[in-house]
Amino acid sequence: MSEKTGPHASTENIINANGSSDDLAVPVYVPTPKNAKPPSKYRKIINWTIASAVLAAIYAHFIWATWYFIEKTEGTLDSTTCTGYGFWMILFIFINFGVAYKFVLKKYCIPPIERYVWKPCAALFKKVPYATLGFLGLILVAILVFLIVDTSDDWWRLMPLTGLVIYVAFGFLLSPNKRQIPWTTVLSGLIAQFILGLLMIRWDVGRNIFSCVGDKIDTFLNYAVNASAFVYGENLVLEQGIFAFNSLAAIYLMSFAINILYYYGIMQSIILNLGIFLQWLLGTPICESVNSAANIFLGMSESPFLLKPYLDHMTDSEIHSIMTSGFASVSGTVLAAYISFGASPAHLITSCVMSAPAALCYSKLMYPEVEEVLVKRENVKKIKMEYESLLDAAVKGAGEAAMIVLGIIANLISFIATIYFINGVLSWLGTLVGYTEEGELWTLEIILGKVFIPLTYTMGVQWDECEKVGQLIGVKTIVNEFVAFQKMGEMDLSPKSKIIATYSICGFANPGSVGIMLSTLGAFMPNKRENLTRLVFRAFLGGCFVCFMTACIAGLLTP
C-alpha cells in the first residue's frame, strides 16, 4: 500500500472493513490537516466542560421561560408554536432527543432492538416468497383507496396518477437490465415519496410545521440582506432590490453556517443517519443512500465530497444513482434566490426531502445493479473536514460562497443573454412568414410551452395554464432553474399551478449542470471518466423525471 492515498492522509488512517491492510481493500479516508498537532490531553475535558455549560444554560433559560410563560403571559401553546414559547419548547424537545440519542439510544437501545427484533423479523419475512412485494402491494392499494375517497368530489385531481404511470413506464423502457430491476426498492421509494407528501403537503400539522420551518429559514436568510445593506447601502439592497446584492447575499450566510456545522461534525452525523435510514427503508447501498440524504442540504458538486474515498470503488449503478440524485434536487445554499422570486420556502424544502427517496428508486428502475457492491455500511466513517478552527471553517465557508455567487452571476448573465439572442433570431424568422404582431412573435418560451403542454396536463395543471407551466419546465430544462424561478415570479398562476410548477422545476437538471457533474466526479474518479460520460445523459433524464413525479404527487395531494 502506498504511503498516501489522498491529500494529507496517513497510512494509519487507511483500513479496510475487517481492519487489515490488504491493498485491495476499500479505504476508509479520514483526512489529516497539514501540520496537525496531536490533541492536548486536556482538550476532551475542555470540550466536555463547554458542552455541559451550554446545556446547563439551555435548561436554565427553558425553566425561566416556562415560568414567565405560565405566570406572566396569557398566550397558549398553539398560538406560540411558530413564534414564541411553543417554538422554544419544540426546539428544547429536539435538543433533548439529540442528547438522548447520542448517549443512550444509539449505544444501549437501538443495537438490542436491531439484533433481537428487527433482524429476526426481517429474516422470517424473507423466507416467505414474495412477502415483501405483497406487503408493499397492500400499501399501494390502501393509498389508491385513500385517493379515490379523497377525490370523490373532484375526480380531476386523479389526473397526476396518469403522469406517475407514464414516468415509471419511461424508466422501465429505458432500463438496460429489466429483469434485474429491484421492484421492492422502486415500490418502497414511491410509497415513501407519497407518505412524505401526505405528511408535508396534505396533513395540516405537517404543513404548518414545514411552513414554520420555511418562515424561520426566510427570517434567517433576511439577516444576510440587512448585512448586505450595511455593505452596499440601503438604496441598492432594500429600496431597489438589486438581485446580486439582495437575493444572493443569503448564500454567504448559508455557506458560513453550513461550514460551522461541518466543523462540529453535526452535518456529517445528520447526513450519515439519514443515509442509514434510507438504506434501511429502500434497501439501497449505503453510499447512494448517504449521497441522496446529502442532496437535501448540499448541491451535486458538494455531496460527492462526503464519499470521496469510496467513489473510485463504486459500480456503474451507484454512479448513476449519485448523478440522478444530484440532478433531481437543489442545494440548500441557493434556496434564498428562489425564495426571492416568490417561491414558497416550505414547498422548496418539501421538494428536496421528497426527491431523496424518489431519486434512489427511480435510478434503480432506470439502471439496476448487476455488479458486486464493494462499499458496505461498515466501511463508511464520518469524514473530518480540514479546518484548523471554528474561525477557519467560517472564513472558508464565506470564501466558498463568493465563488458560488460569482458562478451564479456569470451563468445567469450568459444564459439569459443566450435566451435573448435565440428569441431575437426566432422573432426575425417569424416576421419573414408573417408573425409581426407583438403578441405573436416567436420566442423560445412560447415554443417550449406548447411542446410541454401534454407533460404539464398529466401533472394536474388546469388546461388554460398548461402552456405557462410548460414554459417554465422548458426554460429550466434547457437553461437553468434560476431563470425558470425568475419567470415564475413574473407569471400570474393559480395557487395550485404555482405549487406544481415549483416542484417540477426544483432540480439541477440542465445542460450547465451536466458539465459541472462530469468535471466534479471526473476529478474524484479519473479512472471512470468513460463510465461517467456514458451514464450522465441517462441520469439527466432520471433527474427530470424525479422532479416531474414529485410534482405529480403534489398535484394529487393539493386540493
Side-chain angles (χ1 to χ4, degrees):
M1 180 183 292
S2 60
E3 186 175 354
K4 292 185 178 182
T5 60
H8 324 311
S10 58
T11 52
E12 57 267 24
N13 287 22
I14 309 297
I15 59 173
N16 63 11
N18 56 18
S20 67
S21 58
D22 188 85
D23 286 340
L24 299 178
V26 178
V28 171
Y29 179 87
V30 183
T32 305
K34 283 184 176 180
N35 305 320
K37 298 178 180 179
S40 169
K41 62 180 180 180
Y42 302 108
R43 178 73 57 84
K44 190 173 183 180
I45 298 175
I46 294 173
N47 290 340
W48 272 98
T49 303
I50 293 173
S52 301
V54 170
L55 199 60
I58 290 173
Y59 272 88
H61 183 273
F62 181 76
I63 294 171
W64 188 5
T66 303
W67 172 83
Y68 182 82
F69 178 76
I70 296 173
E71 299 292 335
K72 302 293 184 179
T73 67
E74 297 181 357
T76 62
L77 288 177
D78 290 341
S79 63
T80 61
T81 299
C82 192
T83 55
Y85 176 77
F87 184 71
W88 179 214
M89 176 179 283
I90 294 172
L91 290 179
F92 184 75
I93 292 171
F94 272 104
I95 291 171
N96 279 275
F97 177 79
V99 173
Y101 177 80
K102 181 175 179 63
F103 295 105
V104 180
L105 297 178
K106 188 177 181 180
K107 293 183 178 180
Y108 305 108
C109 298
I110 294 179
I113 293 174
E114 185 177 5
R115 185 181 304 113
Y116 298 114
V117 179
W118 171 252
K119 288 185 177 180
C121 290
L124 182 63
F125 208 71
K126 288 181 180 179
K127 292 181 180 179
V128 181
Y130 303 107
T132 304
L133 281 176
F135 177 70
L136 296 175
L138 289 176
I139 297 178
L140 286 176
V141 171
I143 290 174
L144 186 60
V145 171
F146 165 79
L147 289 173
I148 292 173
V149 174
D150 188 56
T151 59
S152 58
D153 58 340
D154 183 12
W155 294 109
W156 164 252
R157 281 178 49 205
L158 288 176
M159 173 56 74
L161 281 178
T162 307
L164 285 174
V165 172
I166 291 173
Y167 303 137
V168 172
F170 266 117
F172 177 78
L173 293 174
L174 292 173
S175 178
N177 301 291
K178 295 178 177 59
R179 294 185 178 181
Q180 301 296 327
I181 293 176
W183 287 109
T184 54
T185 296
V186 175
L187 294 178
S188 298
L190 291 173
I191 291 171
Q193 190 183 27
F194 181 84
I195 292 175
L196 286 172
L198 193 65
L199 295 175
M200 301 165 73
I201 299 175
R202 188 60 188 277
W203 189 35
D204 289 341
V205 175
R207 185 170 63 250
N208 291 337
I209 289 173
F210 277 88
S211 178
C212 176
V213 171
D215 291 341
K216 295 303 178 186
I217 291 176
D218 197 18
T219 301
F220 174 72
L221 297 177
N222 276 331
Y223 296 138
V225 176
N226 296 330
S228 181
F230 173 79
V231 175
Y232 299 113
E234 294 184 1
N235 182 42
L236 289 176
V237 179
L238 301 179
E239 296 177 14
Q240 298 187 36
I242 296 177
F243 178 73
F245 303 134
N246 185 303
S247 303
L248 296 186
I251 295 176
Y252 293 99
L253 182 58
M254 283 292 291
S255 184
F256 184 91
I258 286 175
N259 264 31
I260 291 175
L261 293 177
Y262 270 116
Y263 174 74
Y264 284 113
I266 298 173
M267 187 62 75
Q268 294 97 313
S269 296
I270 293 173
I271 291 172
L272 183 59
N273 284 308
L274 280 175
I276 291 173
F277 174 74
L278 286 174
Q279 184 191 31
W280 167 79
L281 183 67
L282 305 179
T284 49
I286 185 63
C287 284
E288 300 174 38
S289 305
V290 169
N291 180 80
S292 187
N295 278 126
I296 298 174
F297 310 96
L298 305 176
M300 58 183 179
S301 57
E302 296 91 0
S303 298
F305 179 78
L306 296 173
L307 304 170
K308 183 178 178 181
Y310 317 111
L311 289 175
D312 216 31
H313 302 273
M314 289 188 179
T315 64
D316 284 357
S317 180
E318 289 179 292
I319 295 171
H320 177 267
S321 179
I322 286 175
M323 291 194 289
T324 302
S325 296
F327 288 133
S329 187
V330 294
S331 171
T333 56
V334 296
L335 290 182
Y338 309 151
I339 295 170
S340 70
F341 294 137
S344 165
H347 286 301
L348 290 172
I349 297 169
T350 303
S351 177
C352 293
V353 174
M354 289 175 63
S355 292
L360 286 173
C361 80
Y362 202 80
S363 66
K364 291 306 175 187
L365 175 66
M366 287 189 68
Y367 205 87
E369 185 64 79
V370 294
E371 304 173 67
E372 180 185 358
V373 177
L374 297 178
V375 184
K376 308 293 184 181
R377 175 175 168 179
E378 56 268 19
N379 297 109
V380 178
K381 305 290 182 183
K382 285 196 300 184
I383 295 179
K384 296 180 180 179
M385 310 303 284
E386 297 188 36
Y387 302 134
E388 299 290 342
S389 63
L390 172 63
L391 184 61
D392 180 48
V395 170
K396 286 182 178 178
E400 292 164 1
M403 299 303 297
I404 294 174
V405 169
L406 289 176
I408 290 173
I409 293 174
N411 280 319
L412 279 177
I413 293 174
S414 57
F415 279 116
I416 292 175
T418 302
I419 289 178
Y420 282 131
F421 168 72
I422 294 173
N423 285 344
V425 173
L426 291 174
S427 299
W428 174 68
L429 293 175
T431 59
L432 297 179
V433 292
Y435 285 85
T436 56
E437 297 296 330
E438 185 66 27
E440 295 183 349
L441 290 177
W442 286 358
T443 63
L444 189 64
E445 294 90 332
I446 290 176
I447 294 173
L448 291 174
K450 295 186 182 301
V451 170
F452 284 107
I453 284 177
L455 182 73
T456 57
Y457 189 71
T458 61
M459 293 180 186
V461 179
Q462 293 294 333
W463 180 258
D464 58 342
E465 293 186 312
C466 282
E467 187 170 348
K468 291 181 180 179
V469 179
Q471 290 177 14
L472 297 176
I473 294 175
V475 170
K476 174 259 178 186
T477 304
I478 68 168
V479 185
N480 60 42
E481 77 290 343
F482 275 101
V483 181
F485 275 110
Q486 182 188 39
K487 289 190 173 296
M488 187 180 75
E490 299 169 355
M491 287 184 176
D492 183 19
L493 294 172
S494 65
K496 182 171 181 177
S497 294
K498 189 172 183 178
I499 290 172
I500 294 174
T502 299
Y503 286 90
S504 64
I505 64 176
C506 191
F508 279 144
N510 60 68
S513 295
V514 171
I516 295 173
M517 182 72 75
L518 288 175
S519 59
T520 302
L521 291 182
F524 288 154
M525 48 177 80
N527 297 329
K528 296 195 173 184
R529 291 184 185 273
E530 293 183 3
N531 306 58
L532 295 175
T533 54
R534 175 168 48 85
L535 296 171
V536 70
F537 183 67
R538 182 186 296 271
F540 173 86
L541 291 177
C544 291
F545 287 138
V546 169
C547 292
F548 300 158
M549 290 169 61
T550 307
C552 286
I553 291 179
L556 276 172
L557 297 174
T558 304

